[in-house]
């Protein structure tokens, strides 16, 4: 039943298919069960959980996406900060956000508790969407439209960091998302994300 | 053994194995280039870590990004793969007493890899490939960069073919009896995965090269990411297989670790091969190009079967050490075998630290970050480099270092130079990395991005005021990084001094410790004559499940609890976010 004592450096007899000791069998069984738990959690979260990278995905021409975003910005613009339009779409609307070296366009103003269809894509190279300080991250790939159903549950003044290397100005690429509370009053109640100037209007 | 074989080979004084000069030359050449790459990578690492430590912020932006590419290529590709080429030659020839297949062709392939390496180095250092080592299009590098990678990969692929040819020679010339040793089996696993990986490499780099010289149209950025990671992550599986093989080897050499059951360990190696092409998915979990079903099936390597394999090795390796020690008489209590282990033997300490950090830190964080939804709070943050510096660096690289302390006397026939430093080197390297990894991981949990020159965002239009704790974590990362680089430099100094100026080893005296020779060589861990009998008793059914290896059972139980805790904590953190779907 047992193999002769040997190390991993020794050749072994042609037939090494011997039954394992109970301890190993038990460990393999436990590890297998744990692997099944790990596996089951993901589909389960699609049914029960609130955070999934699912969305609606499709291919898109980068220039066309950029044009669509500009159109969207013009339609709902309510102000501007540092030359970038602040855009306030109605709840439920399709919202467009484009990454381009080295900025995020436009600035979004959303309402807490309302659902939006957020389309993210790039005009040029890969970028990384990283919502600060929540730490929500998505890859932004040129030619692909990633449309995510988003419901902001906290209000405040948020940032979008680019966290995929996109060129020498990568570290200058920061965008802004403002989430107002139910009454529509602008809030900047997030102590980690005060703006220096040009607050929401 | 024919007369010519005797003229072209020698017998190893420690293990009695036949070593062929041609193979020895190839092992040496690959190991030397590996160490040179490690040196370049380590210098870059020091400058990078001193830049990411925001309070120091050493390099200007251009050089930070350039050296990030240099560090990635030299460490992950050149250092690791040259060393693996040495491991393949070693496993096929030395461990099997065989002559190398077509050694001249081996030198040709080595030359091809070297030319490729120099092309990549030129492109990166001259600023012609500021695209990081992933080179995601539409970012474009100089064609020499892509061509260099292709030459390097083709050379490596052909060496892998020679490895298989050597196995055939060994079998045909009956240089060993029965089946190959487990260590060689692990190397075969690594080599098979290498073939699959390098084919993906060709699929991704050849079209990209053609695009860079203007012959073909653009490469789809999403398809590129998928194929690139089929290369980039599958190659990590080569590293894992090679590392586990070295674990078994060092276990045998240092403490006479036994193989509990060949079937279990070998099946686990096969599991690595079966699901390997799926490995690219966990890099694409928050990418737009793939459906959730595809992501779930692939990121889990079809229901976590590769994780299962690692959990099996994570049991059998320590259990083999425990049993090996017990069979040699270190039987007291649950952990007497650990207390009495040769902690001053750098081969042994590297082995244990590699197993612990790879398993407890690398494994647990890896599975967690590679979960489809949890990736939302991890993708491209510092949690990612935090994870892989605990796998490929304090796991694989450290195992390779530990193996080197044995290869120096056995293959290079030199004493290990700076012996007192060698004894502490694994602790310094591993300890530093642990700090680095913790600093990176916690900083990443606050959203600190990876691959980012300036998280004070001084040139950005909007402020990004990170939690002040981040400064602390980055300082921990910085100090850990300095320690780890010091450990790496000590290793390099030892390797270079030993190889080029070391004291020759003619024969290895037994019994008393010798400065410059690991304890496993001067005091080989031999088993008693009646070892099979003792083994039988330890395995007696009456002793129950804890029978032969009770200490390891406790260790893996602790491991599983830590795993569960970390995993579910991350789900909890995820649930606090906005609704996204
Ligand atoms: C010697 C100690 C080491 C230190 C202190 C160190 C430190 C670092 C730092 C600070 C970064 C940059 C993280 C960022 O800004 O995004 C980095 C990236 C990286 N390191 Fe290391 N490292 C070490 C060894 C290694 C080794 C041995 C390997 C591979 C075997 C390795 C592989 C990588 C890779 C693949 C990256 C990512 C590059 C990229 O994002 O393009 N490192 N390392
Ligand atoms: Cu960027
Ligand atoms: Cu990976």
């Amino acid at each position: 039943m047992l193999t002769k004592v040997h190390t991993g450096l020794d050749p072994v007899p042609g037939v090494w298919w011997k039954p394992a000791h109970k301890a190993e069998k038990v460990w393999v069984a436990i590890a297998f069960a744990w692997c099944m738990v790990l596996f089951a959690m993901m589909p389960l979260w699609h049914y029960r959980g609130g955070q999934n990278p699912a969305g609606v995905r499709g291919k898109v021409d980068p220039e066309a996406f950029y044009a669509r975003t500009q159109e969207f910005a013009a339609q709902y613009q309510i102000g501007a900060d540092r030359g970038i339009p602040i855009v306030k779409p109605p709840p439920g609307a399709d919202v467009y956000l484009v990454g381009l070296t080295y900025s995020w366009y436009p600035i979004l103003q959303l309402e807490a508790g309302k659902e939006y269809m957020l389309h993210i894509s790039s005009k040029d190279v890969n970028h990384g969407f990283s919502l600060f300080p929540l730490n929500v991250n998505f890859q932004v790939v040129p030619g692909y439209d990633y449309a995510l159903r988003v419901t902001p549950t906290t209000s405040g003044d948020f940032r979008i960091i680019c966290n995929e290397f996109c060129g020498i100005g990568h570290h200058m690429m920061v965008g802004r998302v403002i989430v107002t509370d139910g009454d529509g009053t602008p809030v900047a109640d997030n102590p980690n994300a005060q703006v220096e100037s040009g607050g929401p209007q | 053994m024919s007369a010519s074989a005797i003229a072209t080979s020698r017998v190893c004084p420690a293990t009695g194995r036949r070593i062929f000069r041609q193979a020895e030359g190839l092992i040496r050449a690959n190991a030397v280039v590996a160490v040179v790459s490690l040196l370049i990578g380590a210098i870059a690492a020091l400058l990078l870590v001193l830049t990411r430590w925001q309070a120091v912020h050493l390099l200007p932006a251009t050089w930070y990004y350039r050296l990030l590419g240099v560090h990635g290529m030299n460490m992950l590709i050149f250092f690791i793969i040259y060393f693996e080429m040495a491991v393949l030659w070693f496993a096929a020839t030395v461990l099997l007493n065989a002559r190398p297949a077509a050694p001249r062709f081996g030198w040709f392939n080595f030359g091809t890899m070297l030319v490729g390496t120099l092309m990549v180095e030129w492109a990166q250092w001259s600023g012609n490939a500021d695209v990081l080592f992933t080179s995601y299009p539409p970012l474009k590098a100089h064609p020499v960069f892509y061509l260099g990678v292709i030459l390097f990969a083709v050379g490596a692929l052909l060496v892998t073919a020679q490895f298989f040819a050597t196995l055939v020679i060994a079998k045909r010339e009956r240089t060993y009896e029965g089946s190959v040793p487990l260590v060689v089996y692990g190397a075969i696993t690594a080599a098979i995965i290498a073939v699959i990986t390098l084919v993906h490499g060709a699929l991704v780099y050849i079209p990209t090269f053609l695009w860079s010289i203007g012959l073909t149209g653009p490469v789809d950025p999403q398809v590129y990411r998928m194929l690139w990671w089929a290369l980039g992550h599958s190659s990590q599986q080569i590293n894992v297989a090679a590392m586990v093989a070295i674990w078994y080897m060092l276990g045998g050499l240092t403490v006479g670790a036994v193989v509990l059951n060949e079937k279990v360990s070998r099946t686990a190696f096969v599991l690595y091969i079966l699901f390997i092409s799926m490995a690219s998915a966990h890099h694409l979990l928050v990418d737009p190009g793939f459906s959730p079903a595809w992501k779930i099936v692939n990121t889990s390597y079809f229901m976590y079967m590769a994780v299962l394999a690692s959990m099996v090795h994570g049991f059998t390796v320590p259990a083999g050490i425990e049993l090996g020690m017990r069979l040699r008489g270190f039987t007291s209590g649950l952990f007497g075998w650990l207390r009495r282990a040769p902690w001053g033997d750098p081969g042994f300490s590297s082995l244990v630290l590699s197993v612990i950090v790879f398993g407890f830190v690398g494994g647990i964080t890896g599975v967690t970050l590679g979960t489809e939804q949890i990736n939302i709070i991890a993708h491209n943050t510092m949690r990612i480099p935090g994870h892989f510096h605990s796998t490929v660096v304090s796991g694989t690289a450290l195992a390779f270092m530990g193996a080197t302390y044995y290869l120096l006397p056995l293959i290079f026939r030199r004493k290990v130079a700076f012996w007192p430093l060698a004894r502490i080197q694994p602790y310094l390297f591993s300890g530093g990395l642990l700090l680095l990894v913790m600093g990176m991981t916690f900083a990443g949990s606050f959203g600190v991005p990876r691959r980012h020159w300036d998280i004070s965002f001084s040139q950005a239009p909007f402020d990004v005021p990170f939690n002040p704790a981040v400064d602390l974590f980055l300082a921990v990362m910085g100090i850990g990084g300095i320690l780890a680089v010091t450990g790496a430099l000590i290793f390099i100094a030892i390797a270079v001094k030993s190889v080029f100026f070391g004291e020759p080893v003619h024969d290895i005296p037994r019994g008393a410790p010798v400065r410059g020779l690991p304890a496993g060589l001067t005091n080989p861990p031999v088993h008693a004559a009646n070892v099979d009998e003792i083994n039988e008793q330890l395995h007696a059914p009456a002793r129950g499940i804890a029978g032969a290896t009770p200490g390891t059972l406790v260790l893996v139980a602790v491991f599983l609890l830590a795993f569960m805790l970390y995993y579910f904590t991350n789900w909890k953190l995820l649930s606090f976010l906005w609704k996204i779907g």
Side-chain angles (χ1 to χ4, degrees), chain A residues 81-148:
Chain A
D81 180 10
R82 275 151 253 226
I84 308 172
I86 299 177
V87 176
K88 187 180 177 211
D94 279 291
V95 176
Y96 294 83
L97 179 75
V98 68
L100 61 162
T101 45
Y102 300 102
S103 59
W104 294 101
Y105 178 94
I107 296 170
L108 301 173
Q109 181 165 329
L110 309 176
E111 217 177 289
K114 299 282 162 36
E115 186 181 288
Y116 299 84
M117 192 70 168
L118 175 61
H119 296 257
I120 316 176
S121 191
S122 162
K123 182 173 177 285
D124 36 48
V125 296
N126 274 275
H127 295 284
F129 172 95
S130 181
L131 188 67
F132 175 88
L134 289 178
N135 198 12
V136 171
N137 305 280
F138 289 96
Q139 183 80 17
V140 183
V141 184
Y144 289 79
D145 176 1
Y146 208 161
L148 295 157

Side-chain angles (χ1 to χ4, degrees), chain A residues 127 162 164-166 170 173:
Chain A
H127 295 284
C162 178
E164 182 59 84
F165 174 72
C166 54
H170 166 54
M173 186 167 165

Side-chain angles (χ1 to χ4, degrees), chain B residues 28-326:
Chain B
R28 283 160 176 249
N30 279 292
V32 167
V33 181
V35 170
V36 173
S37 312
L38 179 64
L39 177 62
I40 301 173
I43 294 169
L46 185 63
L47 298 170
L48 290 178
V49 89
L50 291 178
T51 306
R52 288 311 309 257
W53 185 356
Q54 194 68 34
V56 182
H57 210 223
L58 184 67
L59 294 173
T62 315
W63 277 97
Y64 164 75
Y65 294 121
R66 191 165 295 162
L67 289 186
L68 191 53
V70 166
H71 176 71
M73 279 315 274
N74 277 285
M75 289 299 210
L76 194 67
I77 312 295
F78 300 145
F79 160 57
I80 291 280
I81 295 186
Y82 279 112
F83 202 98
E84 276 160 0
M85 296 296 117
V87 169
L88 288 187
W89 282 119
F90 174 78
T93 62
V94 178
L95 291 184
L96 294 183
N97 293 311
R99 65 184 172 84
R104 286 227 185 87
F105 189 50
W107 284 105
F108 175 78
N109 294 332
F110 173 73
T112 310
M113 291 173 70
L114 204 56
V115 171
T117 307
L118 292 174
M119 288 166 79
V120 170
E121 298 285 0
W122 171 80
Q124 288 196 318
W125 286 96
S126 65
N128 280 295
D130 287 340
V131 292
L132 305 190
F133 79 115
T134 43
S135 54
Y136 296 136
L139 292 177
K140 197 190 268 183
H142 194 285
V144 163
F145 174 77
Y146 304 112
L147 196 58
V149 176
I150 292 171
L151 285 182
F152 179 83
V154 169
L157 190 59
L158 292 174
V159 173
T160 313
Q162 288 186 287
F163 167 79
F164 290 116
T166 307
L167 293 184
V168 174
I169 290 180
K171 183 103 212 157
R172 228 192 259 142
E173 297 181 356
R174 297 174 185 280
T175 61
Y176 63 94
E177 278 167 44
S179 297
V180 296
L182 183 58
V183 173
V184 178
Y185 197 88
I188 296 176
T189 307
I192 294 173
I193 299 173
V195 172
I196 303 172
T197 301
L198 293 166
V199 168
H200 286 117
L203 280 178
V204 64
Y205 273 103
I206 292 172
T208 312
F209 169 66
L210 294 176
W211 163 70
S212 75
I213 57 174
L215 269 186
T216 53
V219 184
D220 184 286
Q222 184 71 87
V223 174
Y224 178 97
R225 276 174 58 76
M226 181 179 77
L227 287 176
W228 197 91
W229 282 112
L231 161 75
H233 196 93
S234 308
S235 64
Q236 302 317 308
Q237 226 71 13
I238 311 176
N239 301 341
V240 172
M243 172 188 73
V244 175
I246 287 183
W247 285 352
Y248 284 113
M249 179 181 94
L250 285 175
L253 286 172
T254 56
V255 292
V258 303
V259 181
L260 298 179
N261 185 287
E262 294 282 347
K263 175 178 72 173
V264 172
S265 295
R266 288 177 194 231
T267 309
F269 273 123
V270 173
L271 285 179
Y272 281 146
I273 303 175
L274 288 182
F275 305 104
I276 194 58
S277 288
M278 305 178 133
S280 122
H282 64 249
H283 296 258
L284 312 170
L285 292 175
V286 293
D287 271 41
F290 311 93
S291 72
W294 185 91
K295 289 173 179 175
I296 290 176
V297 169
N298 284 280
T299 193
S300 64
Y301 296 50
F302 198 71
M303 304 202 172
Y304 289 104
M305 287 302 114
V307 172
L308 179 64
S310 287
M311 287 178 75
V312 169
H313 290 303
F315 176 85
T316 58
V317 170
I321 294 174
E322 174 170 6
L323 187 54
M325 289 294 286
R326 285 184 190 277

Side-chain angles (χ1 to χ4, degrees), chain B residues 38 42 45 48-49 52 64 68 71-72 75-76 79-80 132-133 382 385 388-389 392-393 397 429 433 436 440 450-452 477 481 484-485 488:
Chain B
L38 179 64
L48 290 178
V49 89
R52 288 311 309 257
Y64 164 75
L68 191 53
H71 176 71
M75 289 299 210
L76 194 67
F79 160 57
I80 291 280
L132 305 190
F133 79 115
M382 285 294 268
F388 64 69
H389 282 86
V392 71
V393 190
F429 187 65
L433 281 167
L436 175 98
M440 284 178 163
R450 72 183 284 203
R451 298 180 155 184
H452 202 283
M477 173 200 77
V485 169

Side-chain angles (χ1 to χ4, degrees), chain A:
Chain A
M1 151 132 190
L2 285 168
T3 40
K4 289 255 179 287
V5 170
H6 64 282
T7 73
L9 294 164
D10 304 317
V12 293
V15 182
W16 38 260
W17 194 262
K18 305 259 168 64
H21 184 249
K22 199 147 102 207
E24 277 159 277
K25 284 189 192 152
V26 169
W27 175 248
V28 172
I30 293 176
F32 183 81
W34 175 236
C35 288
M36 292 306 112
V37 173
L38 294 175
F39 184 71
M41 276 306 287
M42 293 186 287
L44 197 67
W45 202 263
H46 275 280
Y47 286 109
R48 291 301 189 83
Q51 297 78 19
N52 290 289
V56 180
R57 304 160 314 276
K59 294 194 82 161
V60 66
D61 173 54
E63 287 301 332
F65 187 88
Y66 185 54
R68 179 74 193 88
T69 308
Q70 282 177 314
E71 201 181 297
F72 157 77
Q75 190 179 359
Y76 298 119
Q77 179 165 4
I78 55 164
D81 180 10
R82 275 151 253 226
I84 308 172
I86 299 177
V87 176
K88 187 180 177 211
D94 279 291
V95 176
Y96 294 83
L97 179 75
V98 68
L100 61 162
T101 45
Y102 300 102
S103 59
W104 294 101
Y105 178 94
I107 296 170
L108 301 173
Q109 181 165 329
L110 309 176
E111 217 177 289
K114 299 282 162 36
E115 186 181 288
Y116 299 84
M117 192 70 168
L118 175 61
H119 296 257
I120 316 176
S121 191
S122 162
K123 182 173 177 285
D124 36 48
V125 296
N126 274 275
H127 295 284
F129 172 95
S130 181
L131 188 67
F132 175 88
L134 289 178
N135 198 12
V136 171
N137 305 280
F138 289 96
Q139 183 80 17
V140 183
V141 184
Y144 289 79
D145 176 1
Y146 208 161
L148 295 157
R149 277 175 216 91
V150 174
T151 309
T153 50
T154 44
S155 53
D157 192 353
F158 299 89
R159 297 287 176 269
I160 310 168
I161 300 172
C162 178
N163 70 2
E164 182 59 84
F165 174 72
C166 54
I168 187 61
H170 166 54
H171 45 273
M172 299 182 239
M173 186 167 165
V174 177
R176 188 173 171 209
V177 176
I178 303 151
V179 179
T180 56
D181 64 16
D183 319 324
T185 9
V187 270
D189 63 351
N190 185 338
N192 280 337
Q194 304 285 346
V195 251
E196 277 159 0
S197 63
Q201 34 212 278

